[in-house]
Amino acid sequence: MSAPQHSAPRSPGSGFGFSTADFYLLLTVFIWGNTFPVAKYILGFLPPMAYATTRYLLAALVLLGLMALRGGLQPPRRRDIPALALLGFIGVTMMQLLWTNALTFTAASKGAILVAVSPIFAMLMTTMRNLVKRESTPGALAWSGVLLSFAGVFLVINNSLTGITLDGGDLVGDLMFLGVAFCWATYSVMGPRYIASLGALRVTAWSMLFGSLLLIPLSILDIARADWGATTLTIWAGFLFTSVGAGALGYLWWYEGVAKLGVARAATYSYLIPVFAMISAALVLGESISLAQLIGAAVVLAGLMMTRLGTQRTPGNGG
């Protein structure tokens, strides 16, 4: 997962020290980075859609439980249900349909790099919105960052410094991961309007529940053919890690961190996700990382930082 590209209030006096919010953001990106290789390992035993659906149903139930503990289970207002269902469809249903299946085609480390470009898609969406509203748009530095990031994406997918190798293979998985980045960007651009009025926990919990329920019709066959009885303790531990850790607590900690520190400061933590993913994939799955992919990852991250700096310097920009 990559950082949402929208404005969020800073808490007074947050400064540049390492706060509790910083700790939770760092813990979140560590969890999200490690989710890629852990999920790929689990998918060696469970069908993709069975895993995605049960994982997010559990995550939604955990968030609803937290809501009950924090002040009562507040059902969404009827007028908010369509928006929450749409957020769930984009941020859970479509994203998990692509993400889980993409992991069966593409290396976990590679997928994490490709998903990291979601802030670029978010910036493009915000720019289109600003053009319609005749508001300020990003300058040359931000657009240079966009081009640089996509050059890095090409290097990662091509996986070669000497020639063009886009001849199929895991290209389908790579394109799916770019679809994941687009879905997360869309969810991130749409979410703030509802989080401002309903709160991060309510929006995340209900949208996640709606999104996971929409996954059920797509996963009935996978759930039926899954050999649940042969699932080992290691697989269940990984399932809980990716469900409760990444799916429930990760979402909650991320948005609470953004609310306290602001998206610009939080965004710097998201750049660590592919780094953690590459290290973990090498240690857990024995994945090898080519020189082209390392250079591509560095180029993607450099482009993201340029884009962030460029949007920060643009007066009135929503990104």
Side-chain angles (χ1 to χ4, degrees):
M1 311 285 178
S2 296
Q5 298 297 292
H6 53 267
S7 298
R10 290 181 181 272
S11 59
S14 59
F16 294 96
F18 192 83
S19 65
T20 302
D22 286 289
F23 171 76
Y24 281 122
L25 284 171
L26 183 60
L27 181 59
T28 297
V29 297
F30 175 79
I31 291 172
W32 282 350
N34 281 274
T35 297
F36 284 83
V38 172
K40 189 169 181 66
Y41 174 79
I42 294 172
L43 288 170
F45 303 92
L46 292 178
M49 296 312 299
Y51 171 54
T53 303
T54 53
R55 173 192 170 198
Y56 269 85
L57 276 172
L58 177 58
L61 292 175
V62 169
L63 287 175
L64 290 172
L66 284 174
M67 189 192 304
L69 291 173
R70 286 190 171 191
L73 193 60
Q74 301 171 316
R77 296 171 297 188
R78 183 176 297 180
R79 69 186 186 191
D80 294 324
I81 290 177
L84 292 172
L86 179 60
L87 282 170
F89 176 73
I90 294 170
V92 175
T93 310
M94 286 303 300
M95 201 166 84
Q96 286 306 303
L97 181 64
L98 293 168
W99 189 84
T100 310
N101 284 285
L103 272 175
T104 64
F105 292 100
T106 300
S109 54
K110 194 176 182 185
I113 299 168
L114 297 175
V115 173
V117 301
S118 63
I120 299 298
F121 288 125
M123 192 206 82
L124 294 173
M125 293 176 197
T126 303
T127 300
M128 293 293 292
R129 182 184 65 192
N130 288 357
L131 284 172
V132 171
K133 294 181 177 181
R134 299 180 182 274
E135 296 177 356
S136 300
T137 56
L141 181 63
W143 289 112
S144 297
V146 169
L147 295 176
L148 190 62
S149 288
F150 280 118
V153 166
F154 176 81
L155 267 179
V156 171
I157 295 177
N158 189 59
N159 198 20
S160 174
L161 298 172
T162 58
I164 305 298
T165 64
L166 302 179
D167 57 352
D170 57 5
L171 180 59
V172 172
D174 295 344
L175 294 177
M176 283 183 176
F177 272 125
L178 289 177
V180 171
F182 182 82
C183 287
W184 179 249
T186 305
Y187 179 86
S188 300
V189 170
M190 291 176 58
R193 173 184 174 185
Y194 303 100
I195 290 173
S197 59
L198 300 175
L201 180 55
R202 287 185 69 191
V203 170
T204 306
W206 289 114
S207 65
M208 192 172 289
L209 180 63
F210 289 136
S212 56
L213 290 175
L214 290 171
L215 278 171
I216 292 177
L218 304 174
S219 61
I220 292 175
L221 292 178
D222 269 8
I223 292 174
R225 69 186 180 89
D227 189 0
W228 298 101
T231 307
T232 65
L233 287 176
T234 301
I235 296 172
W236 281 120
F239 180 85
L240 290 174
F241 173 78
T242 58
S243 302
V244 179
L249 298 180
Y251 273 64
L252 181 61
W253 289 340
W254 177 263
Y255 281 118
E256 289 187 346
V258 167
K260 291 178 181 177
L261 301 179
V263 70
R265 184 164 164 180
T268 59
Y269 285 101
S270 73
Y271 303 152
L272 294 172
I273 294 174
V275 177
F276 287 134
M278 284 190 292
I279 294 171
S280 181
L283 295 175
V284 175
L285 302 175
E287 288 185 3
S288 59
I289 304 168
S290 69
L291 178 61
Q293 288 177 340
L294 284 173
I295 294 175
V299 171
V300 167
L301 296 181
L304 287 172
M305 286 186 276
M306 286 175 61
T307 303
R308 167 48 56 191
L309 287 172
T311 52
Q312 281 179 307
R313 293 177 183 177
T314 305
N317 180 262

